[in-house]
Amino acid sequence: MSTQEKEWGLITEFKSSADIYHAAEQLRDSGFKKFECYTPFPIHGMDDAMGLKATKLPWLILACGLTGLATATGLQIITNMDLYPMIIGGKPNGAGSIVAFLPVMFELSVLFSAFGAVFGMIGINGLPKFYNPVFKHEAFKKVTDDGFFVVVSVDDPKYNTQKTTEFLEKIGGKDVTVIND
Amino acid sequence: MIDMTLDPNADNPAQRTPLVQGGMDFKDVSHAVCDISERKTPKIWFLCLAAALGGLGLLKTSILYLIWEGTGIWGLNNPTYWGWAIVNFVFWVGIGHAGTLISAILFLLRQDWRTGVNRFAEAMTLMAVACAGVFPGIHIGRVWAAYWLFPIPNQMTLWPNFHSPLLWDVFAVSTYATVSLLFWYVGLIPDVATMRDRAKTKYRKIAYGILALGWTGANKHWQRYEKAYAILAALATPLVLSVHTIVSFDFTVSNLPGWHTTIFPPYFVAGAVFSGFAMVITLMTVVRHIYKLENLITIRHLENMCKIILLTGTLVGYAYAMEFFIAWYSGVEFESYAFINRAFGQYGWAYFIMIGCNVISPQFFWFKWCRTNVVFMFIISIFVNIGMWFERFVITMTLNNDFLPSSWDYYAPTIWDISTFVGSFGLFFTLLLLFLRFLPIVAISEVKNCMPEADPHHGDNH
């Protein structure tokens, strides 16, 4: 059975974080929308250089934190004030005992927020994803070491294999290669 | 080698000692860290692991005998219901604090030097919390009923008492362990991806490939990653303060003289940071020497940690003095008696070990020579570790003379107290050795990010 190979994008390598930063600016200014920069570490200011909007992740984390707070408050009020009120060591039950519930309310807010931050980040990033067309590019192994790569996707409205290759070479990209999916 | 013409504390960052020395570039950083687990396992590692597993076996044996026989095998007696179990618990939880402090608070404060040491310190946190978790689990007596601590209703619809500080501990410590684990793992993802891309053998490729979740280093991913990391740090900062605060509530919410004080939460937090940093120094000086990481974990890193030890050690000394002052100033005779008994009673020897190790020994770090001499700081850090264990011992044991002279007694540990404590080091070192062997012990991508050539404007004149 032969597999139909489909063109996925163009990959090119840059020498340093400064080069890839300026390349991203030029891609953004020339109207490219669907390109991605792959770097071994986050580069300061890259989001602006690529024209990315801020992530909505903090709102998700806030929602998770509030869920945690509500869970802790509900759990303690229902179990200790309603289902089985216990008076131990003269500690009151009723509105006054809310103070004793604060530690658990704080802890669960933090716990749920942390779940939101980690699983939210992993989920929005579409991870875990063990197959990615970029992994087919042999030189791409360097990306987690000292490689700086730009990929322009075929989905980009300005994409044209010939012209985009020339553009990438003009802005300093080395070894522009077509990646198939 | 350190260039002494540069000042580690200069206001202008360009004049500071660089964090990465020896002229390393990005490739050298990845290599220096990844090579540790890629080269052939040294024989000494197997020897250390065998010793650590021996300790772990001792812990298991002690726990099994405890479950079989009951807490009577410990030296607990009438006024001393809390023996070494609580001492060891607070000791281990405290050790963990340096990791979260380095990774969270120093991250928020933009202290770039943290990147060399944070991975190791965070791993140490997890291992210490694992050791801590053992003790409350086993000291409840009926271990098989430990699940009663969790909010699960039993057949009488009886729920745990949320007014109890011991239950707050359950939530605080389990949240702390979980958040520390998540924080550590998030930091690991890009570095594990580095190890995946360098892997030569099939098993390494599969194992690191799964752990790295298919990380590519795409900037969109980095954007969310950095946001998640920053928010986790902001969440972990109050969390690390809350954990030891809540641990101190176990003591302070009681009505016993010597325990019922408002200074306990900040005093416990300072002590925890103090002991945690001491443990980081103890382990880091050795690991850095064995694995030749002097260029990544420089004297500047160690010196900064010594300064934190000096600060927190002095805070702890202040707390000791303030406890005495308040005991006298309050005019409560039981309170005064508790403290006079603490210093000059049956446990006076332990009290003075504590003062010597915790108050006096860190004061050497006022001197630059002491802060920059690796052997010296290693020795002091051992003293601090011992002193901080004795601090918890002193707090717990000196209540052996409580309100009624008829119930006064002297607590002495049995062989099982000792074997459980020694065994817990076996658990700690087993986990530590596995970490050193299989995971990147320095945060590779974070170190690279702090190198000058990582800045896209490096070399620009603006």
Side-chain angles (χ1 to χ4, degrees):
Chain A
M1 198 181 88
S2 69
T3 46
Q4 202 75 36
E5 292 238 313
K6 204 170 99 241
E7 197 169 322
W8 187 74
L10 278 171
I11 191 163
T12 181
E13 194 186 344
F14 288 88
K15 191 163 89 266
S16 67
S17 60
D19 285 358
I20 196 169
Y21 178 85
H22 296 305
E25 284 180 325
Q26 281 168 294
L27 278 159
R28 176 197 64 191
D29 294 342
S30 330
F32 282 93
K33 298 278 178 235
K34 301 223 163 170
F35 66 98
E36 184 58 277
C37 301
Y38 296 87
T39 52
F41 45 80
I43 291 175
H44 183 70
M46 197 61 168
D47 299 344
D48 286 339
M50 285 177 66
L52 291 184
K53 286 201 289 279
T55 165
K56 293 202 168 58
L57 188 61
W59 294 104
L60 175 72
I61 298 171
L62 178 67
C64 290
L66 292 174
T67 311
L69 181 64
T71 308
T73 316
L75 176 71
Q76 296 179 99
I77 288 180
I78 292 167
T79 60
N80 273 192
M81 282 191 196
D82 185 34
L83 291 179
Y84 204 110
M86 286 182 281
I87 311 285
I88 292 170
K91 289 166 189 159
N93 252 324
S97 66
I98 291 284
V99 177
F101 295 162
L102 288 178
V104 174
M105 285 153 79
F106 169 77
E107 296 297 335
L108 286 193
S109 306
V110 168
L111 182 66
F112 280 51
S113 308
F115 282 137
V118 176
F119 297 114
M121 183 272 287
I122 290 173
I124 299 175
N125 280 346
L127 302 175
K129 184 182 177 193
F130 296 109
Y131 170 73
N132 196 320
V134 282
F135 289 143
K136 287 182 178 172
H137 188 61
E138 196 44 41
F140 193 75
K141 275 197 183 332
K142 283 201 302 198
V143 73
T144 52
D145 190 0
D146 62 348
F148 301 89
F149 293 90
V150 167
V151 169
V152 181
S153 165
V154 282
D155 297 336
D156 194 289
K158 279 193 71 174
Y159 186 87
N160 172 307
T161 314
Q162 185 63 35
K163 282 186 188 153
T164 310
T165 306
E166 282 162 15
F167 180 77
L168 288 172
E169 277 166 353
K170 198 182 89 202
I171 60 174
K174 281 187 300 176
D175 307 329
V176 184
T177 317
V178 175
I179 297 192
N180 293 319
D181 191 8
Chain B
M1 278 291 288
I2 299 195
D3 183 356
M4 282 312 212
T5 57
L6 295 168
D7 175 8
N9 307 313
D11 284 338
N12 178 359
Q15 286 163 4
R16 279 186 210 152
T17 329
L19 289 167
V20 176
Q21 299 183 345
M24 294 171 101
D25 62 13
F26 296 141
K27 217 176 185 59
D28 298 331
V29 172
S30 325
H31 184 73
V33 179
C34 296
D35 187 53
I36 293 170
S37 71
E38 284 165 358
R39 70 176 88 128
K40 198 164 164 289
T41 315
K43 285 209 178 61
I44 183 82
W45 184 85
F46 286 107
L47 281 175
C48 293
L49 186 70
L53 285 174
L56 184 60
L58 186 64
L59 179 69
K60 276 190 178 160
T61 314
S62 311
I63 292 175
L64 284 176
Y65 184 56
L66 177 84
I67 294 171
W68 181 258
E69 197 66 28
T71 44
I73 64 166
W74 288 344
L76 306 176
N77 56 34
N78 195 345
T80 312
Y81 304 105
W82 286 6
W84 278 29
I86 195 81
V87 176
N88 298 340
F89 165 66
V90 182
F91 173 75
W92 279 118
V93 173
I95 297 283
H97 277 53
T100 326
L101 195 98
I102 289 176
S103 45
I105 297 181
L106 298 183
F107 175 80
L108 295 179
L109 297 175
R110 300 285 181 266
Q111 294 293 310
D112 286 346
W113 64 270
R114 67 180 267 288
T115 55
V117 290
N118 71 338
R119 170 68 42 72
F120 185 84
E122 284 169 39
M124 188 197 75
T125 294
L126 292 171
M127 292 149 200
V129 172
C131 294
V134 168
F135 290 99
I138 60 174
H139 98 295
I140 55 173
R142 284 183 281 168
V143 181
W144 49 92
Y147 68 92
W148 285 4
L149 292 165
F150 297 101
I152 304 165
N154 70 5
Q155 65 275 28
M156 297 188 296
T157 67
L158 182 65
W159 294 80
N161 178 18
F162 286 101
H163 298 83
S164 159
L166 290 171
L167 191 63
W168 304 343
D169 251 359
V170 173
F171 281 84
V173 176
S174 57
T175 300
Y176 183 53
T178 312
V179 174
S180 302
L181 182 67
L182 291 172
F183 202 26
W184 182 67
Y185 181 61
V186 166
L188 266 176
I189 293 172
D191 295 351
V192 172
T194 305
M195 301 194 76
R196 170 199 67 196
D197 290 344
R198 288 169 58 95
K200 298 278 186 293
T201 66
K202 189 173 147 203
Y203 292 114
R204 289 180 73 89
K205 276 183 185 151
I206 293 173
Y208 292 120
I210 290 171
L211 281 177
L213 304 175
W215 182 260
T216 54
N219 189 60
K220 281 194 190 75
H221 291 186
W222 277 122
Q223 185 196 25
R224 295 173 193 125
Y225 173 93
E226 283 206 292
K227 186 61 86 180
Y229 197 85
I231 292 177
L232 273 178
L235 290 167
T237 299
L239 184 67
V240 67
L241 302 181
S242 85
V243 176
H244 233 66
T245 299
I246 291 177
V247 168
S248 82
F249 284 166
D250 293 347
F251 298 80
T252 199
V253 174
S254 72
N255 281 325
L256 287 166
W259 280 9
H260 190 56
T261 54
T262 49
I263 202 173
F264 261 36
Y267 157 40
F268 268 48
V269 171
V273 173
F274 182 52
S275 66
F277 272 87
M279 191 59 110
V280 175
I281 296 241
T282 308
L283 302 173
M284 194 66 95
T285 45
V286 176
V287 167
R288 147 184 201 277
H289 179 72
I290 292 176
Y291 290 119
K292 310 261 177 294
L293 290 171
E294 282 90 349
N295 285 327
L296 291 174
I297 301 158
T298 62
I299 291 289
R300 178 176 158 196
H301 291 92
L302 299 175
E303 189 182 355
N304 282 346
M305 288 194 277
C306 290
K307 286 176 185 167
I308 294 178
I309 289 181
L310 173 62
L311 169 73
T312 48
T314 311
L315 282 172
V316 166
Y318 169 80
Y320 295 158
M322 201 41 62
E323 282 188 314
F324 265 88
F325 172 74
I326 293 296
W328 166 75
Y329 189 65
S330 67
V332 179
E333 56 184 315
F334 297 106
E335 191 81 14
S336 304
Y337 173 74
F339 282 97
I340 292 166
N341 181 49
R342 181 173 287 185
F344 304 106
Q346 292 158 303
Y347 288 102
W349 57 274
Y351 185 81
F352 286 100
I353 290 178
M354 172 185 98
I355 293 286
C357 292
N358 289 352
V359 183
I360 297 168
S361 72
Q363 301 305 321
F364 285 103
F365 288 144
W366 286 106
F367 305 103
K368 190 168 178 80
W369 182 86
C370 303
R371 292 197 307 265
T372 48
N373 185 298
V374 177
V375 176
F376 187 84
M377 70 175 80
F378 176 77
I379 294 168
I380 292 287
S381 75
I382 296 281
F383 275 120
V384 173
N385 287 326
I386 295 170
M388 283 309 292
W389 188 85
F390 270 99
E391 180 195 297
R392 281 72 180 237
F393 178 80
V394 163
I395 291 172
T396 313
M397 296 313 154
T398 53
L399 299 175
N400 63 327
N401 294 0
D402 67 0
F403 302 100
L404 290 172
S406 62
S407 57
W408 289 8
D409 206 346
Y410 185 80
Y411 172 90
T414 65
I415 186 81
W416 295 104
D417 283 298
I418 297 166
S419 69
T420 315
F421 179 54
V422 172
S424 67
F425 278 92
L427 173 61
F428 182 77
F429 283 109
T430 305
L431 295 171
L432 183 74
L433 285 163
L434 292 174
F435 164 70
L436 289 177
R437 190 65 216 136
F438 295 110
L439 288 170
I441 61 172
V442 174
I444 307 169
S445 70
E446 289 182 44
V447 167
K448 287 179 190 165
N449 202 9
C450 293
M451 291 164 71
E453 51 274 42
D455 181 3
H457 303 297
H458 176 62
D460 294 7
N461 293 320
H462 62 77

